[in-house]
């Protein structure tokens, strides 16, 4: 998780990032800010509210949700029991940073799986 | 401009001036004004076109020429005011810059100039008043709490700084009435009338408000604005229904083309009540409609609470396809893309659609 946040910290256009559990508990964040708890709580609420319909439409697992707002973007990347939330400016190209994050997330998921 | 071209314009100018004097005509007047513009005599051009507006008030040609001259004047005004501010910053310079920028519909420059003005000259009442006006326009567009609060705060400060500025007081009273703070609006309008009973606009406002509204406290304003933001409509706005219907109609007419362009499986338009429509008419509720409505509402809340401002759009990328949602002026458009569909450019296509439906209004202009 820390590797992922480290990759994002300081990436062009990234204003902040956090990792949270699916029920909205903040695990880690860069940079430290009070608002991250609130973001985690609302992101979790959103993920829960769309879960059922996403399943019906065959969207699961969700790869990424991007929100475009007047002052910036918010990107949620679900990673198993956790979710990564990236807060970014309106215009920067985050393609490369997010690709690296996706790779890290995949390897993290593989490692955390318990083989029976 | 070369010497020859300039000489030609001078000759043409004399001829057109004589022609306008002899037999005034909108076309000739427009040609004369264009000649003056090419010769960079903006004042004379403005003088002629203003006369033309009085002489031929219904002429499209004169109106269009007037618009061009006003834009040129505003562009020059921005240049001059910017230079003036750089040399010796003054409240008047900032105000001139802001007003010229507003004439060019450049809310961003106007807002920046005014914020800098109130930072450097905190006692400048007109700058606070104009900032309130800009935020009011944005509030009417986005219905965002932050803009509503900014309107009240800037207008109140403008009124404190200049108690003789009755226009700002009246505008504040109208705004309070519009958002449902009727008792406060009534109190303010009545106070204006008590000072000057000849103000017919204040009288009209008092007459339009209910007689004995329940008393309201200033701290209830935030709740009222939050309710407006959540509902997406102003209280008691009778024309709102019509505006929504018109927007739904326009979006439904344009959505088929976007659907084909994006090769979407389905596309819908949602009104503020989350009723779904497509180009063939009203639709029932299913998982796609439900997800689009849910996603746009939750996302709106998330963006507001995380201080990212009003939501513009959402893209959900899943294993079995994608969902692209875009917020319009009051309504929402959603497109369901297949698994192999490309989401690149989908937000842009929907942005063009919702802006066209909102009457070409540029929703992205921050003030």
């Amino acid at each position: 998780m820390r590797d992922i946040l480290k990759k994002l910290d300081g990436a062009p256009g990234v204003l902040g990032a956090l990792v949270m559990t699916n029920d909205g508990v903040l695990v880690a964040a860069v940079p430290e800010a009070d608002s991250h708890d609130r973001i985690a709580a609302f992101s979790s609420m959103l993920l829960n509210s769309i879960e059922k319909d996403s399943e019906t439409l065959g969207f699961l697992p969700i790869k990424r949700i991007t929100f475009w707002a007047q002052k910036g973007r918010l990107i949620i990347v679900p990673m198993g029991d956790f979710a990564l939330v990236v807060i970014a400016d309106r215009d920067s190209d985050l393609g490369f940073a997010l690709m690296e994050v996706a790779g890290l997330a995949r390897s993290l998921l593989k490692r955390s799986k318990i083989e029976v | 401009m070369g010497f020859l071209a300039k000489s030609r314009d001078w000759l043409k100018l004399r001829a057109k001036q004589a022609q306008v004097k002899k037999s005034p005509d909108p076309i000739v007047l427009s040609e004369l004004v264009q000649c003056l513009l090419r010769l960079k005599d903006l004042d004379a051009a403005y003088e002629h076109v203003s006369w033309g507006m009085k002489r031929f008030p219904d002429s499209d040609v004169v109106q269009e020429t007037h618009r061009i001259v006003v834009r040129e004047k505003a562009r020059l005004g921005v240049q001059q005011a910017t230079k003036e501010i750089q040399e010796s910053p003054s409240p008047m310079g900032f105000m001139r810059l802001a007003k010229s920028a507003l004439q060019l519909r450049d809310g961003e420059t106007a807002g920046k100039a005014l914020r800098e003005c109130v930072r450097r000259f905190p006692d400048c009442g007109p700058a606070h008043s104009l900032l309130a006006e800009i935020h009011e326009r944005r509030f009417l567009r986005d219905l965002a709490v932050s803009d509503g609060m900014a309107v009240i705060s800037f207008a109140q400060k403008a009124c404190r700084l200049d108690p003789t500025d009755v226009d700002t007081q009246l505008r504040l009273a109208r705004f309070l009435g519009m958002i449902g703070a009727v008792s406060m609006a009534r109190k303010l309008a009545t106070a204006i009338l008590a000072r000057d009973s000849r103000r017919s606009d204040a009288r009209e406002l008092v007459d339009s408000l209910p007689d004995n509204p329940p008393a309201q406290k200033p701290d209830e304003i935030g709740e009222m604005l939050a309710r407006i933001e959540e509902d997406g409509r102003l209280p008691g706005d009778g024309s709102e229904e019509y505006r929504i219907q018109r927007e739904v109609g326009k979006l439904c007419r344009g959505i088929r083309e976007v659907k084909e362009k994006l090769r979407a499986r389905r596309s819908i338009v949602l009104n503020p009540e989350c009723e779904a429509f497509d180009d063939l008419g009203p639709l029932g509720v299913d998982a796609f409609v439900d997800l689009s409505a849910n996603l746009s509402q939750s996302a709106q809340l998330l963006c507001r609470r995380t201080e990212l401002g009003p939501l513009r759009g959402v893209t959900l990328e899943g294993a079995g396809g994608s969902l692209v949602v875009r917020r319009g002026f009051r309504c929402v458009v959603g497109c369901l893309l297949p698994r192999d569909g490309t989401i690149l450019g989908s937000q842009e296509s929907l942005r063009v659609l919702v802006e066209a439906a909102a009457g070409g209004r540029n929703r992205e202009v921050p003030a």
Side-chain angles (χ1 to χ4, degrees):
Chain A
M1 295 290 176
R2 279 203 194 92
D3 286 346
I4 289 177
L5 290 180
K6 242 187 247 171
K7 276 263 181 259
L8 286 167
D9 194 15
V14 173
L15 309 172
L18 62 98
V19 175
M20 61 173 210
T21 62
N22 281 345
D23 46 7
V25 178
L26 184 66
V27 178
V30 283
E32 294 283 327
D34 292 340
S35 60
H36 286 158
D37 277 318
R38 200 171 53 214
I39 295 174
F42 277 103
S43 302
S44 153
M45 183 203 74
L46 183 134
L47 287 173
N48 287 330
S49 75
I50 62 167
E51 195 180 357
K52 201 175 150 211
D53 289 323
S54 301
E55 192 178 0
T56 312
L57 289 168
F59 282 173
L60 294 186
I62 292 170
K63 291 182 201 163
R64 185 161 71 184
I65 311 176
T66 311
F67 305 88
W68 278 270
Q70 191 185 45
K71 294 178 193 164
R73 279 172 295 171
L74 195 126
I75 301 150
I76 302 179
V77 186
M79 302 184 299
D81 293 335
F82 299 91
L84 169 74
V85 182
V86 182
I87 305 135
D89 66 11
R90 281 204 312 184
D91 309 310
S92 301
D93 182 8
L94 297 175
F96 187 68
L98 287 175
M99 221 154 63
E100 275 191 290
V101 166
L104 281 168
R106 267 197 300 272
S107 62
L108 195 80
L109 274 176
K110 268 184 205 160
R111 262 185 279 159
S112 64
K113 264 186 193 157
I114 301 166
E115 301 287 344
V116 182
Chain B
M1 190 192 282
F3 175 74
L4 273 176
K6 211 169 182 174
S7 306
R8 210 167 39 236
D9 273 333
W10 272 113
L11 288 173
K12 204 173 170 185
L13 179 71
R14 298 279 170 250
K16 294 290 169 197
Q17 273 173 337
Q19 223 173 326
V20 167
K21 216 170 191 178
K22 200 173 159 195
S23 54
D25 171 78
I27 307 282
V28 181
L29 178 75
S30 171
E31 285 170 355
L32 168 64
V33 171
Q34 284 173 44
C35 233
L36 286 164
L37 283 179
R38 280 197 297 275
L39 292 167
K40 308 246 181 272
D41 193 351
L42 206 53
D43 288 336
Y46 187 70
E47 202 178 301
H48 278 88
V49 84
S50 301
W51 172 82
M53 286 292 281
K54 280 181 204 150
R55 182 79 167 75
F56 311 105
D58 300 325
S59 163
D60 291 343
V61 178
V62 176
Q63 280 173 14
E64 182 59 19
T65 313
H66 181 262
R67 200 184 59 78
I68 293 168
V69 175
V70 168
R71 274 189 80 81
E72 279 305 312
K73 237 175 126 59
R75 203 166 286 140
L76 185 71
V78 168
Q79 284 171 7
Q80 287 173 340
T82 308
K83 201 175 167 197
E84 185 189 327
I85 288 167
Q86 279 164 355
E87 283 166 8
S88 61
S90 70
M92 291 296 285
F94 281 113
M95 287 296 290
R96 254 199 297 274
L97 174 59
K99 282 180 182 168
S100 298
L102 281 178
Q103 276 182 330
L104 292 171
R105 298 183 182 212
D106 183 359
E108 192 173 2
T109 305
K112 268 186 198 165
L114 290 168
R115 275 191 290 274
E116 184 59 21
C117 180
V118 297
R119 193 183 68 79
R120 287 180 190 226
F121 310 100
D123 294 339
C124 180
H128 284 92
S129 174
L130 199 52
L131 267 171
E133 215 175 309
I134 289 175
H135 279 285
E136 189 175 338
R137 281 184 213 174
R138 284 185 64 189
F139 177 80
L140 291 174
R141 190 188 65 190
D142 292 334
L143 301 179
V145 177
S146 54
D147 285 320
M149 293 304 267
V151 174
I152 295 168
S153 142
F154 283 123
Q156 280 178 336
K157 189 138 189 219
C159 297
R160 266 201 307 275
L161 289 166
D162 182 6
T164 62
D165 181 5
V166 181
D167 289 335
T168 303
Q169 290 171 26
L170 194 63
R171 215 174 46 239
L172 175 60
R174 272 201 201 104
F175 181 77
L176 290 168
M178 188 170 68
I179 62 167
V182 181
S183 71
M184 291 159 93
R186 206 182 161 81
K187 201 173 155 189
L188 196 54
T190 312
I192 295 168
L193 269 180
R195 282 198 303 274
D196 184 358
S197 57
R198 287 167 301 171
R199 291 290 301 216
S200 57
D201 40 9
R203 167 77 55 208
E204 260 173 45
L205 179 61
V206 172
D207 290 345
S208 71
L209 296 167
D211 272 344
N212 292 308
Q216 283 143 342
K217 290 177 196 155
D219 51 7
E220 284 174 47
I221 295 267
E223 283 168 34
M224 285 175 194
L225 291 170
R227 215 164 25 240
I228 291 170
E229 185 183 298
E230 298 298 338
D231 293 349
R233 67 170 69 190
L234 292 163
D237 185 353
S239 56
E240 186 70 2
E241 290 295 326
Y242 168 71
R243 278 204 290 267
I244 291 167
Q245 276 178 18
R246 199 174 52 177
E247 192 182 345
V248 168
K250 280 185 179 175
L251 289 172
C252 284
R253 278 194 292 279
I255 203 156
R256 181 189 280 267
E257 197 184 322
V258 175
K259 186 181 167 189
E260 282 166 11
K261 188 178 168 191
L262 298 176
R263 285 186 291 146
R265 270 158 57 193
R266 287 183 63 193
S267 54
I268 50 160
V269 176
L270 293 167
N271 68 12
E273 306 292 330
C274 288
E275 291 162 335
F277 303 83
D278 69 2
D279 52 334
L280 299 174
L283 295 167
V285 179
D286 59 15
F288 169 47
V289 172
D290 213 27
L291 183 61
S292 304
N294 233 332
L295 193 60
S296 72
Q297 285 180 338
S298 308
Q300 172 82 326
L301 202 65
L302 176 69
C303 289
R304 297 269 199 225
R305 298 293 183 268
T306 49
E307 285 154 22
L308 285 171
L311 175 78
R312 296 289 185 235
V314 191
T315 306
L316 185 156
E317 295 163 70
S322 308
L323 175 68
V324 188
V325 169
R326 187 87 195 175
R327 279 192 81 87
F329 194 51
R330 296 280 187 269
C331 304
V332 170
V333 183
C335 278
L336 185 64
L337 305 181
R339 187 162 52 179
D340 54 353
T342 173
I343 60 157
L344 269 178
S346 52
Q347 278 290 342
E348 182 59 19
S349 300
L350 292 185
R351 183 187 68 81
V352 172
L353 173 68
V354 298
E355 276 184 14
R361 222 182 305 246
N362 184 0
R363 290 176 53 81
E364 304 290 335
V365 173

